[in-house]
């Protein structure tokens, strides 16, 4: 199972906001912390706001914040909301399936069960669970700070 980059960025954004619940977080800060395109992150933030996971405030002093309690957001629901489909193999896509063995193959059933188990595991993990351990959060903040500093230095040297 492979998630899209969009879902990856959505999960990372939610994780960052869950750690920084005490303030509005500028998109540029999240972008710098992960070393990813601000343009892509704006699209992710827009979708997350549309889905009700985050709130955004525009203008000077604006930014992003969680709109929901992280204890009530599962990783599985975010993945379902941000992934375009779960077509693990071609035959899962009824509109575009050209597999010649679809009627006789037992693999699709096995892969469908694996997909369901994958989502069940994600459903058991809440956003709050990911930011509960102070040691882990401390490491995350150090990584984000180091990455953001490196990104800012790269931008400054390219100007």
């Amino acid at each position: 199972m492979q998630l899209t980059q969009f879902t990856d960025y959505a999960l990372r954004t939610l994780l960052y906001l869950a750690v920084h619940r005490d303030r509005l977080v500028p998109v540029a800060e999240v972008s710098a912390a992960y070393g990813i395109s601000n343009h892509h992150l704006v699209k992710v933030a827009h979708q997350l706001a549309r889905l009700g996971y985050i709130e955004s405030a525009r203008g000077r002093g604006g930014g992003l914040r969680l709109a929901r309690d992280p204890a009530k957001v599962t990783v599985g629901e975010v993945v379902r909301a941000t992934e375009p489909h779960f077509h693990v193999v071609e035959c899962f896509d009824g509109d575009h399936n050209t597999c010649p063995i679809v009627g006789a193959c037992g693999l699709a059933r096995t892969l469908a069960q694996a997909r369901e188990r994958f989502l069940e595991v994600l459903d058991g993990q809440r956003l709050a669970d990911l930011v509960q351990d102070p040691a882990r959060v401390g490491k995350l903040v150090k990584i984000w700070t180091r990455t953001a500093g490196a990104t800012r230095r790269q931008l400054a040297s390219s100007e």
Side-chain angles (χ1 to χ4, degrees):
M1 197 72 215
Q2 183 173 352
L3 300 177
T4 60
Q5 190 175 57
F6 188 92
T7 298
D8 180 19
Y9 290 174
L11 291 168
R12 290 192 214 183
T13 299
L14 293 173
L15 182 65
Y16 195 92
L17 297 177
V19 169
H20 297 92
R21 291 198 66 200
D22 57 329
R23 63 187 175 88
L24 284 171
V25 178
V27 172
E29 179 181 327
V30 180
S31 173
Y34 288 120
I36 58 179
S37 163
N38 193 65
H39 178 72
H40 289 317
L41 208 55
V42 167
K43 289 179 182 181
V44 170
H46 177 73
Q47 180 73 356
L48 288 173
R50 194 178 71 69
L51 292 168
Y53 291 109
I54 66 171
E55 297 172 341
S56 62
R58 293 183 148 197
R60 187 178 174 104
L64 310 172
R65 74 172 140 240
L66 289 178
R68 295 177 50 194
D69 179 349
K72 296 184 179 178
V73 176
T74 69
V75 174
E77 76 176 84
V78 174
V79 168
R80 282 183 185 86
T82 57
E83 279 297 304
H85 59 76
F86 290 96
H87 303 321
V88 179
V89 288
E90 179 185 359
C91 61
F92 282 30
D93 182 359
D95 293 338
H96 300 98
N97 181 25
T98 60
C99 180
I101 63 170
V102 72
C105 177
L107 185 58
R109 181 171 180 234
T110 300
L111 291 174
Q113 289 173 344
R115 177 186 61 192
E116 292 310 310
R117 298 299 176 279
F118 172 77
L119 290 169
E120 284 175 17
V121 169
L122 297 181
D123 287 338
Q125 186 73 53
R126 301 194 179 284
L127 188 57
D129 300 334
L130 301 173
V131 295
Q132 228 173 323
D133 179 3
R136 180 181 293 160
V137 170
K139 288 178 186 177
L140 283 171
V141 171
K142 282 182 186 176
I143 292 167
W144 290 329
T145 303
R146 187 172 55 239
T147 304
T151 301
R152 281 193 287 274
R153 283 191 298 280
Q154 287 172 341
L155 291 172
S157 68
S158 68
E159 291 176 350

